[in-house]
Amino acid sequence: MDINIKIVDQIDCTRVYEDLSHPGSGGVCVFIGSVRNTTANETVNELFFEAYEAMAISEMEVIAKEATAQWGLNKVIMHHAIGTKKIEEPVVLVGASSAHRTACFEACRFLIDTLKERVPIWKKEFFDNKKVWVTPHP
Amino acid sequence: MDINIKIVDQIDCTRVYEDLSHPGSGGVCVFIGSVRNTTANETVNELFFEAYEAMAISEMEVIAKEATAQWGLNKVIMHHAIGTKKIEEPVVLVGASSAHRTACFEACRFLIDTLKERVPIWKKEFFDNKKVWVTPHP
Amino acid sequence: MKIHFFGIAKEIVGSSELDYSALEFPKTVAGLKVQLLEQYPKLQELSSLAVALNKKYATEEMELSQNDEIAIIPPVSGG
Amino acid sequence: MKIHFFGIAKEIVGSSELDYSALEFPKTVAGLKVQLLEQYPKLQELSSLAVALNKKYATEEMELSQNDEIAIIPPVSGG
């Protein structure tokens, strides 16, 4: 089991294959979440991310271990950025490395979905004339 | 529509985010296929890939356009390597960039599945005492 | 005894940290939530409000003690 | 008239290219396949054998002409 978890100021996407490649893996699946220029048809200028860092890391570890056990992964990576992020900047990078491709695709989707549900990180959206903490309503 | 298709001697995974990021995209999904050290419990030493290059590129274009239309993608990338590839080397890189994550995950899976079905590229496996062209049997 | 606040909860409370004396401090996670929701009614507008005890999500019946690291977790929105 | 072979088909035929005179050349994709399977029975062992006409998969009834780029596509195994 090889788990690589970080809260960073800037996501580095250039090392992702180095971080996930493994002699026993035939496939690596990676998801990168980035700042989109609109949300609900309004123009977004930038985002700000805040984390409860120690807990975010321990929650990501739980998620990574769960994924490793369920899909028999060789490697997992989960990086999340904090601070101000401009349009097109990466804010989250998750990835899984496995013998066959179905496992890494399913695991990668689980990593990002579960991160979004459980990991204590908050996003504030900056528009032209307002800024709001994103709080999903039921 | 922004489609990036190549047959290369070596896959470069370091530029994947540069190649796929887009101001209108909130998510990028990437799959990298690599050389695994075993196949059906036998030790593999290396692989050799051969392509009918002009047709492979035109087939990949068809697949990329199909995915773009079906999932409303902002960018698509499909790179395949040819020649001799050692264990842990990347051999194929496909990725999709879209507003929301479900689209890029589904599109990325479609890209690799359809590439494996249709694109005229062939793999030879080198074992200790034999080498065989991989020919999926029904 | 300190409680940490994040995101919109920090904004509602007006601080990233509140200090409680040992006396007024509630005994359980449920008690803490009742107390906070009374004191800061705007917290009631959130779709959820979780409490973390020592960096883990806590259940309502868990008991709080002096040395716990306590944090208020409004709806998360990472990724 | 030339036909290109790849992968295991190239190995079975023993060459990456075969040259046909205009006379003996079959008129359709189906005809070409029949001719090749007779000449190289080992090709029958493959799970599929496709023909590409001018860099696109061809259907059985398509007609072949002098200037076509023709290729034999054994089961692909990229990725």
Side-chain angles (χ1 to χ4, degrees):
Chain A
M1 193 170 59
D2 187 331
I3 286 176
N4 174 333
I5 284 173
K6 277 183 200 163
I7 300 282
V8 293
D9 291 324
Q10 256 182 319
I11 299 281
D12 177 2
C13 297
T14 65
R15 294 172 41 87
V16 65
Y17 188 70
E18 268 174 81
D19 285 347
L20 284 168
S21 81
H22 184 280
S25 288
V28 157
C29 184
V30 173
F31 175 81
I32 301 159
S34 51
V35 183
R36 197 156 63 97
N37 55 13
T38 55
T39 187
N41 293 319
E42 283 190 280
T43 302
V44 172
N45 295 321
E46 59 185 39
L47 298 181
F48 175 80
F49 287 90
E50 172 176 292
Y52 178 14
E53 206 165 317
M55 181 179 170
I57 289 190
S58 97
E59 280 295 314
M60 287 196 277
E61 273 167 5
V62 171
I63 296 168
K65 282 177 192 167
E66 233 174 282
T68 301
Q70 184 164 351
W71 285 283
L73 306 175
N74 292 318
K75 285 186 167 186
V76 179
I77 187 172
M78 299 182 86
H79 293 176
H80 203 296
I82 50 175
T84 299
K85 297 293 148 209
K86 305 280 184 197
I87 305 302
E88 229 177 303
E89 270 193 84
V91 302
V92 61
L93 168 71
V94 297
S97 175
S98 58
H100 301 289
R101 72 186 182 284
T102 297
C104 67
F105 267 101
E106 290 182 4
C108 188
R109 183 68 201 256
F110 169 84
L111 292 174
I112 186 63
D113 287 358
T114 316
L115 180 151
K116 280 171 175 275
E117 272 167 29
R118 279 189 357 207
V119 176
I121 297 177
W122 298 271
K123 175 176 15 210
K124 195 171 196 169
E125 288 171 334
F126 287 75
F127 300 94
D128 276 343
N129 41 25
K130 63 177 176 183
K131 43 191 180 187
V132 290
W133 284 105
V134 177
T135 55
H137 286 286
Chain B
M1 192 173 59
D2 187 331
I3 286 176
N4 173 334
I5 286 173
K6 278 184 198 162
I7 299 281
V8 293
D9 290 324
Q10 255 179 320
I11 299 280
D12 178 2
C13 297
T14 66
R15 293 174 42 88
V16 65
Y17 188 69
E18 268 175 81
D19 285 348
L20 285 168
S21 82
H22 184 281
S25 287
V28 156
C29 183
V30 173
F31 175 80
I32 302 159
S34 51
V35 183
R36 196 157 64 98
N37 55 12
T38 54
T39 188
N41 294 318
E42 282 190 280
T43 301
V44 172
N45 295 320
E46 61 186 38
L47 298 181
F48 175 80
F49 287 90
E50 171 175 294
Y52 177 14
E53 207 166 316
M55 182 179 169
I57 288 189
S58 96
E59 280 294 314
M60 287 196 279
E61 273 166 6
V62 170
I63 295 168
K65 283 177 189 164
E66 234 176 281
T68 301
Q70 184 165 351
W71 286 282
L73 306 176
N74 291 318
K75 286 186 166 186
V76 179
I77 186 172
M78 299 182 85
H79 293 176
H80 203 297
I82 50 174
T84 298
K85 298 293 148 208
K86 303 282 184 195
I87 304 304
E88 229 178 304
E89 270 194 83
V91 302
V92 62
L93 169 72
V94 298
S97 176
S98 58
H100 301 288
R101 72 186 182 286
T102 297
C104 67
F105 267 102
E106 290 182 4
C108 188
R109 183 69 201 255
F110 170 84
L111 293 174
I112 185 63
D113 286 358
T114 316
L115 179 150
K116 280 171 175 275
E117 270 167 30
R118 276 184 7 202
V119 176
I121 297 177
W122 299 271
K123 177 177 12 210
K124 195 171 194 168
E125 288 172 334
F126 288 74
F127 301 93
D128 275 343
N129 41 25
K130 63 177 175 184
K131 44 190 181 187
V132 289
W133 285 104
V134 177
T135 55
H137 286 286
Chain C
M1 214 176 232
K2 278 178 186 160
I3 308 182
H4 302 274
F5 294 86
F6 294 94
I8 195 165
K10 181 174 69 179
E11 214 158 279
I12 290 171
V13 167
S15 171
S16 67
E17 226 175 86
L18 284 183
D19 222 337
Y20 278 71
S21 74
L23 260 182
E24 64 181 340
F25 203 82
K27 288 199 178 55
T28 63
V29 168
L32 172 62
K33 282 175 74 169
V34 168
Q35 195 167 313
L36 284 170
L37 291 168
E38 265 173 26
Q39 222 167 331
Y40 305 98
K42 279 218 123 198
L43 291 177
Q44 296 171 21
E45 292 169 22
L46 302 179
S47 61
S48 73
L49 194 70
V51 173
L53 216 56
N54 303 317
K55 308 180 186 76
K56 289 200 170 69
Y57 284 106
T59 55
E60 300 277 314
E61 68 281 4
M62 282 185 179
E63 290 182 14
L64 307 175
S65 82
Q66 290 281 359
N67 302 314
D68 286 336
E69 181 175 327
I70 299 171
I72 302 305
I73 312 284
V76 301
S77 54
Chain D
M1 214 176 232
K2 276 178 188 161
I3 307 181
H4 302 275
F5 294 86
F6 294 94
I8 195 166
K10 180 174 70 179
E11 213 158 279
I12 290 171
V13 167
S15 171
S16 65
E17 226 175 85
L18 285 184
D19 221 338
Y20 278 71
S21 74
L23 259 183
E24 62 183 339
F25 203 82
K27 289 199 177 54
T28 62
V29 167
L32 172 62
K33 283 174 76 170
V34 168
Q35 195 166 316
L36 284 170
L37 291 168
E38 265 173 28
Q39 223 167 333
Y40 305 99
K42 279 216 123 199
L43 290 177
Q44 298 172 21
E45 293 169 21
L46 302 179
S47 60
S48 74
L49 194 70
V51 173
L53 216 55
N54 304 316
K55 307 181 188 74
K56 288 198 170 69
Y57 285 106
T59 55
E60 300 277 314
E61 68 281 6
M62 283 185 179
E63 289 182 16
L64 306 175
S65 82
Q66 290 280 358
N67 303 314
D68 287 335
E69 181 175 327
I70 300 169
I72 301 305
I73 313 283
V76 301
S77 53

